[in-house]
Amino acid sequence: MTLTRSTFLQLAGAALAAGPALAQTGPRMQTRKIPSTGQDLPVVGCGTWQTFDVGDSPAERAPRTEVLKVLFEAGGSVIDSSPMYGRAEGVVGDLLAEAGTRDKAFLATKVWTQGHEAGIAQMTESLRRFRTDHVELMQIHNMVDWRVHLPTLRAWKQEGRIKLIGITHYTESMHDELEVILRREKFDFVQINYALDDRGVERRLLRAARENGVAVIINQPFGGGGLLRKLLPRPLPAWAGEIGCTSWAQILLKFVLAQPAVTCVIPGTGRPDHMRDNAQAGFGSYPDRDLLQRMVREIAT
Ligand SMILES: NC(=O)c1ccc[n+]([C@@H]2O[C@H](COP(=O)([O-])OP(=O)(O)OC[C@H]3O[C@@H](n4cnc5c(N)ncnc54)[C@H](OP(=O)(O)O)[C@@H]3O)[C@@H](O)[C@H]2O)c1
């Protein structure tokens, strides 16, 4: 039997909608190359700001255990955290250890402090909380004291405690400064804000990342949740099906993933049903130029 593209997409969708058991044997999420290493990275990950800052009761832990299970079973791997996110690093570390899934995770965390010694102490503590001897990606959070931390990150990379290094921000006002940094220094990743109503990266930063071989992680694809909440009461547009979307969350994620310079998007969630929904954006086709313009016209305005 020949599998047409639309049948394939329907099967992929059905497998994930049906839940983990089917998804495990179904198709895997799409990947994109990290320019500096050529390594394939799944396009949808999970952010942990607020969503993983929870205590140790079963009621708080069980849904997050399930979120990570859904992420991995869909073929995803990127988990983004920070010492700024309260208990999140420790929660992720505990859940990965309990499930024995550390090797499935691409752990991305951050250094968020002033000073050389404080940076080393904080990164050491992050490894302890994650219960690991290395993280896949260490990012300088919000560019805080980046000139001081960068040599430490490079030294840790040499030693293998960090596989890749990055720098982050979440506001357009810092994009120009970030661009200068990306053109001057060698970073593997930049993490920045991009959403249908927050399109500043399209101006220059995505091009700067592409020209300098820097992978791009997108944070706040739902505008921190506010953009998505505004859209949820509206019926889905008729064109949603053309790009295999069955929810507003998938539409917003496919909007950012339509940019070839974007490597991965990390919507934050502590809910398994939302993780399953978000993971779907890693399957099927993405909007072309005409549809992107239509999305901006019909949704952002
Ligand atoms: N400077 C930085 O480095 C920086 C700054 C900001 C963010 N980040 C990273 O980027 C991640 C994403 O940003 P964000 O969490 O601020 O904002 P976001 O991803 O735009 O939105 C997260 C919100 O959307 C909700 N949500 C997620 N999936 C949903 C779905 N399918 N349907 C309905 N609601 C859904 C979540 O609530 P539920 O838990 O109920 O799903 C949460 O309230 C963060 O978690 C963090 O890891 C980094």
Side-chain angles (χ1 to χ4, degrees):
M1 182 183 98
T2 325
L3 202 60
T4 65
R5 190 168 162 278
S6 67
T7 316
F8 173 81
L9 292 178
Q10 276 167 12
L11 287 173
L16 279 176
L22 261 181
Q24 215 162 13
T25 53
R28 308 288 288 172
M29 183 185 292
Q30 293 186 28
T31 59
R32 293 187 185 167
K33 295 235 178 277
I34 299 171
S36 63
T37 63
Q39 181 191 355
D40 291 322
L41 197 69
V43 292
V44 180
C46 184
T48 64
W49 182 55
Q50 296 183 318
T51 53
F52 273 66
D53 181 14
V54 297
D56 51 14
S57 73
E60 291 166 294
R61 292 291 175 106
R64 275 89 193 167
T65 301
E66 193 63 21
V67 165
L68 298 187
K69 194 162 174 253
V70 169
L71 173 71
F72 297 146
E73 285 177 348
S77 65
V78 178
I79 303 168
D80 179 75
S81 198
S82 169
M84 187 211 205
Y85 302 165
R87 295 159 290 183
E89 287 183 325
V91 172
V92 170
D94 289 352
L95 299 183
L96 293 177
E98 281 159 21
T101 46
R102 168 65 185 95
D103 61 331
K104 292 189 192 304
F106 181 99
L107 278 181
T109 196
K110 312 188 185 87
V111 56
W112 179 67
T113 187
Q114 303 270 353
H116 174 73
E117 291 304 322
I120 291 175
Q122 193 176 65
M123 294 195 298
T124 305
E125 176 62 6
S126 291
L127 294 188
R128 190 193 68 74
R129 293 165 108 198
F130 280 128
R131 308 204 207 173
T132 187
D133 61 359
H134 72 279
V135 289
E136 279 66 30
L137 172 61
M138 181 65 76
Q139 306 154 104
I140 300 172
H141 198 153
N142 288 351
M143 300 152 71
V144 173
D145 219 1
W146 69 268
R147 288 180 189 79
V148 167
H149 296 312
L150 187 54
T152 315
L153 262 57
R154 287 187 176 137
W156 276 43
K157 189 177 174 184
Q158 285 282 318
E159 294 160 15
R161 282 186 278 181
I162 290 172
K163 300 298 176 196
L164 299 163
I165 64 180
I167 186 159
T168 81
H169 212 277
Y170 69 105
T171 55
E172 190 177 344
S173 59
M174 299 308 285
H175 286 187
D176 288 348
E177 196 175 327
L178 256 185
E179 180 184 351
V180 172
I181 295 172
L182 293 190
R183 291 195 184 279
R184 225 177 259 167
E185 305 287 350
K186 181 71 201 127
F187 277 97
D188 300 294
F189 273 86
V190 63
Q191 183 190 136
I192 37 175
N193 53 304
Y194 184 29
L196 218 158
D197 65 348
D198 177 19
R199 297 168 46 225
V201 288
E202 291 175 7
R203 217 166 27 89
R204 297 168 60 96
L205 203 49
L206 288 178
R207 189 165 48 132
R210 200 183 59 237
E211 288 174 357
N212 290 277
V214 183
V216 177
I217 293 180
I218 297 301
N219 63 40
Q220 301 199 312
F222 304 145
L227 172 63
L228 184 53
R229 274 193 300 276
K230 267 193 272 177
L231 292 170
L232 284 177
R234 286 167 61 167
L236 284 192
W239 45 256
E242 287 172 27
I243 48 169
C245 287
T246 57
S247 70
W248 278 111
Q250 292 162 30
I251 288 173
L252 295 181
L253 295 175
K254 287 210 166 184
F255 176 81
V256 305
L257 286 169
Q259 297 286 345
V262 169
T263 316
C264 171
V265 59
I266 46 163
T269 188
R271 285 182 45 165
D273 56 336
H274 287 174
M275 188 66 245
R276 191 166 286 122
D277 182 10
N278 298 342
Q280 282 273 31
F283 295 80
S285 58
Y286 293 92
D288 60 17
R289 187 187 294 246
D290 287 347
L291 185 50
L292 286 175
Q293 285 171 357
R294 194 166 169 191
M295 290 168 107
V296 171
R297 247 188 351 259
E298 292 180 15
I299 302 169
T301 50

